Amino acid sequence: YDQEYFMAVLEELIQKKPQQAEFTTVALLQLENFYEIRSWVGKSEANLLLGDIAQLLEKTLPVDALLCRCQHYEFAVLLLGDNGVKAQRIAAAIKTGLRKGLTSSIPPQLQLHYGIGMASADNEILKAEVLFARARHDLSLSHSRHKFRSSALSAVPIEPERILLLVQTALQSSSFGLLFQATLCFKNDDLKHFEIRSQFRDEEGSKLPSELVFESAIQNALGEQLDRRVILEALKTLGLTRNQQLRFTINLTQNSIVSADFFPWLESVLKNYPALSGQLVFQLSEIDILIAQHHMEYFCQMLSQLDIRLSISNF
C-alpha cells in the first residue's frame, strides 16, 4: 500500500474506533544509507533491493499488520491489538530478518544501516499525523548524537501536557514573541544578518525554554504551524522595513521538512511578498537532516527555485 492509504486507515481507526486505537502502534523503518548503496549498485538494482526488503517485511510481520511503502524510501507498519503490545519484539525480528536476508543484495563492502521509530496511540492522540510524527521523533531520539538534547530537556520540571496546551494556545492567539539575534558573518558582504528566535511564556508570564516547546510541537505535529507563523512574521517585518540588506535566518522543524503541504503554502504566501524570498535563510539541524535525508533533494530543489538559502546548525 502507499502512504495515503495507510494514513486513511489510521485516521479512520483513531476517529471511529477509539478503544481499538489505544492498542495501535506505528513503526517507521528508515534506510539510513540507501543513497550510498544506490550510488554503488545503480538505481534499478536499488529499486530491486526495495522489493527484497518489502518481501522480507511481509514474511516477518504478523498477518494482520498493515505494511506501506512511504515516499522517499521509507516503510511504515501499522500494528493492531496484541501486536501493538509486542511491538518491540516485532521490531527486533525485523532487524534480524534484514540483517540475515539481504546479504546477497548488497555489495560486500557495504552494510545496510536502518532505524526503526515507534509510537503507540493513547487517549490524547486525535490525528494520524500526530502518531506518524511521534514515530519519526522516536527515530531521531534513537540516534546517538541526539541523546544529549533529550537528556537536557528531561531536567526541566514542566509537564508535557501543560507544554502542549501552551503551544496550542500560542498558535491560536499569537502569544509568542520573536527575538532577533544579530549574527556575525566572517565574509564582509555588507549585509545585516539576524537569526530569529521564538520566545514563549506561560500563564504567569514566565519564559519557557524554546527547545522544550518546539520538542513538544514536533511530537504533536504542530511544528509546521509554528514555522509558518514565524515565516509570516518575518516577511511582514521585511516588508515594513524595506531594507534589502537584512537577512533573516529562520529555524525550521522536522515537521516542515517532511510535509507535502509546506512548499505549496510557502509559494502562495511569497506571492504577497515579491522579491523578499532572497532575504530569507532556512536553518535546519544536522540531526533533522539525517533523519529526513530522503526528503532533502526535493527540499533543496524548492529552496533553489524560491531563492532561499540553506544553513545547517548543530553541525
Side-chain angles (χ1 to χ4, degrees):
Y1 298 99
D2 61 15
Q3 187 171 348
E4 184 178 355
Y5 177 78
F6 183 91
M7 296 297 281
V9 171
L10 181 56
E11 188 69 40
E12 183 179 4
L13 184 68
I14 292 174
Q15 296 296 334
K16 295 184 179 180
K17 303 176 182 178
Q19 291 183 339
Q20 291 185 31
E22 292 181 24
F23 302 97
T24 299
T25 297
V26 168
L28 183 64
L29 171 66
Q30 184 182 85
L31 311 176
E32 295 176 354
N33 63 332
F34 180 79
Y35 286 103
E36 181 186 9
I37 293 174
R38 193 176 73 171
S39 68
W40 278 86
V41 301
K43 190 172 183 178
S44 59
E45 288 294 328
N47 286 334
L48 291 175
L49 172 61
L50 292 175
D52 293 341
I53 292 173
Q55 290 181 4
L56 276 169
L57 290 174
E58 286 180 338
K59 292 178 182 178
T60 307
L61 291 168
V63 177
D64 57 348
L66 179 65
L67 173 66
C68 103
R69 163 83 179 276
C70 301
Q71 297 176 348
H72 309 292
Y73 314 112
E74 296 174 332
F75 292 89
V77 181
L78 183 61
L79 300 171
L80 304 175
D82 293 339
N83 292 327
V85 179
K86 302 173 185 175
Q88 293 291 345
R89 275 184 281 173
I90 294 173
I94 290 174
K95 292 179 180 180
T96 301
L98 290 175
R99 186 172 63 250
K100 293 181 178 179
L102 295 176
T103 52
S104 60
S105 305
I106 300 174
Q109 65 269 35
L110 295 177
Q111 181 179 3
L112 177 65
H113 299 291
Y114 46 84
I116 299 178
M118 293 188 295
S120 298
D122 55 39
N123 293 328
E124 298 176 0
I125 295 182
L126 301 178
K127 290 185 178 181
E129 289 81 3
V130 173
L131 197 57
F132 213 82
R134 290 191 179 182
R136 188 177 297 282
H137 184 259
D138 182 61
L139 193 64
S140 65
L141 288 178
S142 66
H143 198 287
S144 59
R145 277 182 286 181
H146 200 66
K147 289 180 179 177
F148 78 93
R149 184 189 296 179
S150 57
S151 62
L153 294 174
S154 62
V156 182
I158 304 177
E159 301 83 359
E161 296 80 8
R162 183 170 169 231
I163 288 291
L164 177 58
L165 180 61
L166 290 170
V167 171
Q168 294 170 332
T169 302
L171 285 168
Q172 294 170 2
S173 62
S174 300
S175 59
F176 64 91
L178 298 184
L179 302 176
F180 295 81
Q181 171 67 57
T183 56
L184 176 64
C185 181
F186 289 102
K187 179 181 178 182
N188 186 14
D189 54 10
D190 295 323
L191 300 175
K192 298 177 180 179
H193 297 268
F194 291 87
E195 180 178 349
I196 297 182
R197 312 290 292 183
S198 303
Q199 186 179 82
F200 297 84
R201 297 181 181 273
D202 61 15
E203 302 89 339
E204 289 76 35
S206 301
K207 294 180 183 178
L208 295 173
S210 295
E211 294 86 353
L212 189 66
V213 173
F214 275 96
E215 197 83 1
S216 176
I218 292 167
Q219 287 190 57
N220 292 281
L222 295 173
E224 184 182 355
Q225 293 184 44
L226 287 177
D227 293 342
R228 290 186 181 192
R229 186 65 58 84
V230 174
I231 291 170
L232 282 174
E233 294 300 323
L235 289 170
K236 288 178 184 177
T237 303
L238 288 171
L240 289 172
T241 58
R242 297 184 180 180
N243 186 343
Q244 295 183 354
Q245 289 183 308
L246 287 176
R247 293 294 182 272
F248 285 171
T249 297
I250 300 172
N251 291 278
L252 295 186
T253 64
Q254 190 183 99
N255 296 151
S256 293
I257 302 175
V258 302
S259 171
D261 301 320
F262 177 71
F263 279 111
W265 169 84
L266 183 60
E267 286 181 301
S268 66
V269 167
L270 288 174
K271 291 178 182 178
N272 299 320
Y273 299 93
L276 289 186
S277 60
Q279 294 182 247
L280 299 179
V281 180
F282 285 169
Q283 184 161 270
L284 309 177
S285 167
E286 184 194 21
I287 184 66
D288 288 337
I289 290 177
L290 290 173
I291 296 303
Q293 61 182 285
H294 306 306
H295 300 256
M296 288 306 300
E297 183 176 2
Y298 169 73
F299 191 89
C300 291
Q301 286 175 355
M302 291 305 300
L303 289 188
S304 179
Q305 289 181 27
L306 297 174
D307 193 28
I308 298 175
R309 302 289 297 277
L310 174 66
S311 171
I312 302 175
S313 63
N314 301 323
F315 185 79

